[in-house]
Amino acid sequence: MKTLLLATRNPGKVKEIQAILSGVPLTITSLLDQPGLPEVVEDGATLEENARKKAREIFEATGLPTLSDDTGLEVYHLGMKPGVISARYAGEHATYEMNYRKLLHEMAGVPAGQRGARFRCVAYYIDKEIEERKDGTCEGTITDSPRGKGGFGYDPVFLPEGYMETFAELSESVKNQISHRAKAFLQMKNILLTRFA
């Protein structure tokens, strides 16, 4: 069975993507299984640039079919921040909690009707013959305080549209049907199923 390499060291992301891509006839590994590979500097100005850079650099280093993504939380009231710097919003080595606490601080006092936000994911695939990009978004709102123990990143403060639970409160199976990452990677799954059928 061929190997597909996920260009990430984020265990939460790896688990989520593996669940979304279940049924694809590939052995799905990640950079967690390849400790010698270089760290890709995510210095792109957009999610698209970072996703493409990660996929290309890891593919060039390994020769393996590579799948990457870059994801950002875009808050309308903050002019679409944190966006491309979502993972380091509160500083270069910020924890998930530090990032969402900073966001909640900046949103303090903003009324419910103005707390709209969206998660956006850009997935990028490359092998010896093709390159493909797919995007997914999930609209929602920012809560007043964190809720739930599941997920990662900003999940405890993001309430997806049409739901009463944050991403951190929803079951993995529900999140993996409605999330931005699910929407991007389910499109990518169709490409992989066609490619490796």
Side-chain angles (χ1 to χ4, degrees), residues 175-194:
K175 185 187 173 193
N176 288 345
Q177 289 170 17
I178 67 168
S179 78
H180 49 296
R181 189 168 288 113
K183 289 173 184 173
F185 278 90
L186 285 171
Q187 294 177 77
M188 205 57 90
K189 182 176 184 175
N190 290 333
I191 291 168
L192 295 172
L193 285 169
T194 303

Side-chain angles (χ1 to χ4, degrees), residues 40-46 49-50 53 57 84 88:
V40 178
V41 180
E42 295 182 46
D43 54 3
T46 64
E49 285 177 25
N50 282 337
K53 183 179 184 187
E57 286 191 17
V84 74
R88 51 191 184 280

Side-chain angles (χ1 to χ4, degrees), residues 12 15 26 32 39 41 43 48-49 51 56 60 73 76 103 105 111 117 128 132 134 144 156 189:
K15 184 180 178 191
L26 296 164
L32 294 169
E39 194 76 44
V41 180
D43 54 3
E48 293 81 358
E49 285 177 25
R56 285 183 175 166
E60 284 165 14
L73 177 67
Y76 297 106
L103 177 66
H105 177 73
K128 287 179 178 142
E132 292 278 356
K134 295 296 176 189
D144 292 319
K189 182 176 184 175

Side-chain angles (χ1 to χ4, degrees), residues 1 4 20-28 189-190 192-193 196:
M1 197 178 276
L4 173 67
I20 294 165
L21 295 181
S22 66
V24 172
L26 296 164
T27 301
I28 301 173
K189 182 176 184 175
N190 290 333
L192 295 172
L193 285 169
F196 297 101

